[in-house]
Amino acid sequence: MSEHYENSGVDRLYSAVWGENIHYGVYETGDETIETATWAAKRLMAEAARLRPGERVLEVACGYGATARYLAEAYGVSVVASNISETQLARCREMAGGRALDDRVSFEYADFHDLPFPDESFDVWWCQESMVHSPDKERVLREAYRVLKPGGRAVISDHIFWHERLTPQERAAVEARYGMSNLSSPADYERHITDAGFTLVEHRDWQRHAALHRAKVLARLEQHMSEFAREMDAETLENNHRSWAHWADLAAEGKLSLDFYLAEKPAG
Ligand SMILES: C[S@@+](CC[C@H](N)C(=O)[O-])C[C@H]1O[C@@H](n2cnc3c(N)ncnc32)[C@H](O)[C@@H]1O
């Protein structure tokens, strides 16, 4: 479902409301800005992954490339950041343009179901809030397993629908938005991870952060509705407003979660 992000109105909404990080934040007090909380989420994930200077990281579904630049800069790793969205890859290259990190960060087209990289070529595989788009999460994780070296780590966060808690109407709306009928709950993710061969090292339940974050992005969207209405077609704006409001309700009701997983490929 990357076509969703290729729509220029959707691209504008995400970059204006979410900023350069298209993922949820982790909030300590709840009063933080979206920006402070999203950077905190990256930092917590990187710390859990125990990144070491010189390691090779593959980031899949890299959004606007902010995480790749951050990891290279703050942790001294080299990052291949990949995405299926050409619109976002163009933005990644533009934002990184001319920075000193060019030799340690590259942006490449790759579908996370079928990676164009050799076996055992990375120390860390990083996927932040993107597996939700995959109708075949086990295949994504098998690819992660293949490209990781023995002892390599998979670092995953995702916004995950508790499909067991959704009403039939809610489920239909989620399935229509993501174009798939096989939703996975947080517990299903654990099974997908171990079925792909990984050892699950850690699973953190960040549900409360999902609720806070969805409320904050909805409020920011609503604050700027009249500006967006001048910049994009009414249908795109209405559809997105409707689904963002719906996701905020689902998160407030504990039906939309945010979960973090750290997994390891056995050293062999
Ligand atoms: C919610 S955004 C998250 C972006 C980024 N990880 C971040 O945290 O800012 C979801 C991303 O998944 C990407 N995506 C969707 N389907 C994909 C696929 N089959 N392979 C690779 N990336 C995909 C989209 O292009 C988009 O960049």
Side-chain angles (χ1 to χ4, degrees):
M1 275 295 280
S2 81
E3 309 85 54
H4 177 65
Y5 299 99
E6 299 298 339
N7 175 311
S8 62
V10 172
D11 186 55
R12 169 79 187 118
L13 283 183
Y14 278 100
S15 57
V17 176
W18 294 64
E20 54 182 339
N21 302 312
I22 329 175
H23 62 79
Y24 293 3
V26 170
Y27 296 82
E28 215 170 285
T29 63
D31 294 331
E32 299 96 320
T33 61
I34 290 173
E35 288 71 21
T36 302
T38 47
W39 287 106
K42 284 191 211 306
R43 185 171 37 74
L44 287 174
M45 287 175 62
E47 282 169 6
R50 304 178 318 281
L51 297 179
R52 293 183 286 269
E55 285 191 318
R56 287 197 80 212
V57 177
L58 173 64
E59 185 190 4
V60 295
C62 69
Y64 297 130
T67 299
R69 296 195 306 276
Y70 166 70
L71 296 181
E73 221 151 28
Y75 296 89
V77 294
S78 63
V79 187
V80 175
S82 58
N83 202 333
I84 202 175
S85 162
E86 292 289 7
T87 306
Q88 293 180 1
L89 281 169
R91 186 80 60 81
C92 290
R93 295 189 183 108
E94 199 181 291
M95 287 162 85
R99 306 247 303 239
L101 291 171
D102 282 357
D103 58 332
R104 281 195 287 123
V105 180
S106 64
F107 296 101
E108 298 183 25
Y109 179 93
D111 185 328
F112 53 28
H113 297 98
D114 192 11
L115 296 171
F117 306 110
D119 295 358
E120 302 190 358
S121 49
F122 293 95
D123 301 290
V124 173
W125 177 92
W126 179 293
C127 184
Q128 197 162 4
E129 288 174 44
S130 302
M131 274 177 53
V132 65
H133 291 289
S134 170
D136 191 350
K137 296 177 182 35
E138 282 177 21
R139 180 163 165 192
V140 172
L141 288 160
R142 281 198 305 274
E143 273 296 84
Y145 190 90
R146 180 183 68 74
V147 299
L148 278 172
K149 298 174 189 170
R153 289 94 74 208
V155 187
I156 302 160
S157 73
D158 218 353
H159 52 138
I160 304 179
F161 294 91
W162 277 100
H163 54 84
E164 305 90 332
R165 299 178 186 169
L166 300 176
T167 64
Q169 292 83 349
E170 288 166 348
R171 188 177 176 125
V174 174
E175 289 179 353
R177 159 68 182 83
Y178 288 96
M180 68 180 80
S181 55
N182 54 341
L183 302 175
S184 295
S185 70
D188 295 327
Y189 270 61
E190 288 196 2
R191 189 171 37 79
H192 297 324
I193 288 168
T194 52
D195 283 355
F198 286 104
T199 304
L200 180 65
V201 177
E202 203 183 340
H203 175 184
R204 293 186 202 171
D205 174 350
W206 283 345
Q207 206 283 323
R208 113 182 158 81
H209 305 296
L212 275 164
H213 193 85
R214 291 280 13 162
K216 281 179 189 269
V217 290
L218 178 63
R220 192 179 278 182
L221 171 68
E222 289 180 342
Q223 201 182 346
H224 297 282
M225 281 298 265
S226 51
E227 283 159 55
F228 294 134
R230 287 194 292 275
E231 293 173 15
M232 67 191 65
D233 65 274
E235 194 187 343
T236 300
L237 185 57
E238 259 165 48
N239 286 344
N240 278 277
H241 182 220
R242 193 175 326 110
S243 67
W244 290 25
H246 197 192
W247 295 172
D249 287 345
L250 294 182
E253 291 163 15
K255 296 174 177 176
L256 168 57
S257 184
L258 173 65
D259 288 78
F260 166 76
Y261 304 85
L262 175 66
E264 204 167 276
K265 177 170 175 172

